[in-house]
Amino acid sequence: MQLTDEEKRMLDGGSGRGVQRAMELLVALGKSFDAERMIPILRTHVALSGQEGDTYWCRLLVEGGATCKVPPTTNPSWDVKGLTKHYEVTESELELGLQTIEVYRKIGAKLTFCCTPGLGTNVPAFGEHVAFSESSATPYVNAVLGARSNRESSCSALASAVTGVTPLYGYHFESNRGGTMLVDIEARPKDAYDWGILGYFIGRFAGSRIPVLSFRHMENRPTPEELLYLGAEMATSGSVAMYHIVGVTPEAPTAAAAFRGKAPEFTLPVLPRHLKEQEEQISEKGGRINLVMLGCPHYTYDQLRELACLLEGRTVHRDVAFWVLTSFDAIELARRSGHLETIERAGCRLVADTCIDEPCWKSFEGGLGVTDSPKCMYYRERRGQPFVIRRLSDCVEAAVRGEI
Amino acid sequence: MSAKTSFSCRSIVKGHVEGEAIVSREAMCFYLCDPETGEVIEKNHPLKGRSIAKKILVLQSGKGSSVVQVDGFYQLSVKGNLPAGIIVREIEPVLVSAAVVMETPMVDRLQADPFEVIVDGDWVEIDAETETVTVTKRGRDE
């Protein structure tokens, strides 16, 4: 790779061992993908997780004297102060939670603890080169906003935050952003839930390809939440980091433009029955439940408002914990607008800074949960909690009845 | 008798290591290995039940979310059960990140298809400094 003098200095250790480690990672990545040089970036998002491997890397950089040149927004781990009051966590889990916050604070990250930066706290412009990790955030900024990011790991995004550069390859080039498969959609998704199921279905066939979604019928432009769910699920069942929707996303005014004049490798038809079948394939059948968990990805203010309308005058069943994971700013808006009171009066609780895949939720494991997110199901299942997957209104009914 | 053959390769993470080969024709998520033993625990994986610890892993590619792959490497490393080195067939960004973070020597672009020239049990030396992989066949199988 051709490095600038400044980049060479970082690589040679002239800016300290932490910066050197970060640069070594970016050079290895650049070399792997035949990048000729680095490109400066002004935004990054780090998929902080609170897992030991992730915290280890951040600590390694901090102890090597590194701080962030470009302060990144961060993913959630879990609300250490709030949730330990409710649930049992071990000494070492608590310790790791606290350490994670400490090392990310020391490195100079912007501690947003939210997995939907593209919808609020870190919004890149069209054509802007960025390094965004978090598998649901990368397709959002690429496809919906038209920014340019490769599929980054939390470690490589943090390395970019420290050095201010990312290797120039892959989706940073216009020529690599064209669609490679056509999705011919007869189905009519009507809410974020349907878009999520659609995404999960497409991801199974897409792998790391760039799907171009073409709808036979589209009455309204999809909302940001719907697009977020689509991308999140394509990156769960597959590893999609870029997609197009003809007539909707900015690089796809027409199908020809989305494909950059090339022919798709294949066409995937999506009929209405495919969505129903997809739901049935991944969802548990039903029964008594102990948890309703929403907010994977984090619920936005608009989703909280919708939730408040559904919960008005209802009461959550006494055997059920109803948690909604969201961002600090969405909670504040819900409080100001009066929806928080409605939600809490019904027995539902909001929590910020928290991911579904964290140790604080282990007391529910073994029982059945309900969620509107296949991604939530996918990651919780590995920790021993099966989920029924349903749209929001059905999740609320299940919470009230205690079963589904 | 043992036959020794050398191949050129490309260095991704530096180091000079050797060990017994274990070949994974499918991609791996290192989170789905038991850190205590280095055994692959992923359902339906061809290496399920076998240990990758301290071996030279010949690997198709990486898979799984960015976060869990790195954590998988970390947990194996803490217990001393990471592979000694990795020869990758199809490079992938998250795998590169994980190997760099845990300083696991890794090469790709072997001069020959690694699945053709390396089988389980071969003795393999990776010299990522000189970008050379040397394969010593076992005298005779079984």
Side-chain angles (χ1 to χ4, degrees), chain A residues 17 21 25 28-29 31-34 47 49 51-53 56-57 151-156 169 379 382, chain B residues 10-12 31-32 64-68 70-71 74-75 91-94 96-97 100-103 109 131:
Chain A
R17 181 66 181 138
R21 287 300 307 269
L25 171 48
L29 265 177
K31 189 176 172 189
S32 304
F33 294 94
D34 299 309
S49 67
Q51 287 186 339
E52 283 174 285
Y56 165 81
W57 176 239
R151 181 172 163 256
E152 301 287 345
S153 68
S154 56
C155 304
S156 61
Y169 74 94
Y379 285 104
R382 282 198 338 211
Chain B
R10 182 176 73 160
S11 160
I12 303 292
Y31 199 52
L32 300 176
S65 87
S66 65
V67 164
V68 301
V70 172
D71 199 56
Y74 176 82
Q75 301 297 346
I91 203 80
E92 175 269 318
V94 174
V96 174
S97 291
V100 174
V101 168
M102 297 320 303
E103 299 178 89
R109 295 197 187 157
E131 304 199 307

Side-chain angles (χ1 to χ4, degrees), chain A residues 126 139-147 177 195 210-215 218 221-223 227-228 230 234 242-255 257-258 260:
Chain A
F126 183 85
Y140 191 86
V141 300
N142 265 327
V144 180
L145 304 178
R177 296 171 66 83
W195 281 86
I210 302 180
V212 175
L213 283 66
S214 175
F215 285 86
M218 186 183 285
R221 190 192 152 79
T223 64
L227 295 167
L228 182 70
L230 173 76
M234 289 196 292
M242 172 67 187
Y243 66 89
H244 300 279
I245 305 176
V246 178
V248 173
T249 55
E251 293 174 60
T254 63
R260 308 290 196 265

Side-chain angles (χ1 to χ4, degrees), chain A residues 47-251:
Chain A
L48 172 158
S49 67
Q51 287 186 339
E52 283 174 285
D54 168 58
T55 302
Y56 165 81
W57 176 239
C58 185
R59 186 187 302 119
L60 201 70
L61 300 187
V62 165
E63 286 174 356
T67 52
C68 290
K69 221 172 179 177
V70 177
T73 47
T74 63
N75 257 19
S77 102
W78 56 286
D79 175 1
V80 174
K81 271 193 195 136
L83 289 173
T84 35
K85 282 185 285 191
H86 293 286
Y87 301 116
E88 293 274 313
V89 289
T90 65
E91 198 67 38
S92 64
E93 287 162 350
L94 180 61
E95 182 58 29
L96 179 60
L98 291 167
Q99 275 181 22
T100 302
I101 297 169
E102 190 195 331
V103 293
Y104 272 94
R105 184 180 287 134
K106 276 191 181 155
I107 207 163
K110 218 185 270 182
L111 299 178
T112 49
F113 299 130
C114 170
C115 58
T116 63
L119 278 82
T121 45
N122 198 354
V123 186
F126 183 85
E128 184 176 351
H129 295 277
V130 299
F132 269 48
S133 54
E134 166 51 39
S135 64
S136 66
T138 314
Y140 191 86
V141 300
N142 265 327
V144 180
L145 304 178
R148 298 182 176 194
S149 178
N150 282 318
R151 181 172 163 256
E152 301 287 345
S153 68
S154 56
C155 304
S156 61
L158 187 60
S160 286
V162 162
T163 58
V165 296
T166 190
L168 181 61
Y169 74 94
Y171 293 146
H172 290 290
F173 288 111
E174 163 67 26
S175 53
N176 293 330
R177 296 171 66 83
T180 52
M181 66 180 276
L182 176 65
V183 189
D184 179 8
I185 304 169
E186 182 69 42
R188 301 176 190 230
K190 61 176 194 285
D191 57 13
Y193 175 78
D194 286 339
W195 281 86
I197 297 287
L198 174 65
Y200 197 93
F201 180 77
I202 296 170
R204 283 172 47 211
F205 302 93
S208 58
R209 289 184 189 83
I210 302 180
V212 175
L213 283 66
S214 175
F215 285 86
R216 299 288 180 102
H217 324 274
M218 186 183 285
E219 284 91 32
N220 301 305
R221 190 192 152 79
T223 64
E225 290 81 2
E226 289 168 347
L227 295 167
L228 182 70
Y229 271 48
L230 173 76
E233 301 303 344
M234 289 196 292
T236 298
S237 62
S239 47
V240 172
M242 172 67 187
Y243 66 89
H244 300 279
I245 305 176
V246 178
V248 173
T249 55
E251 293 174 60

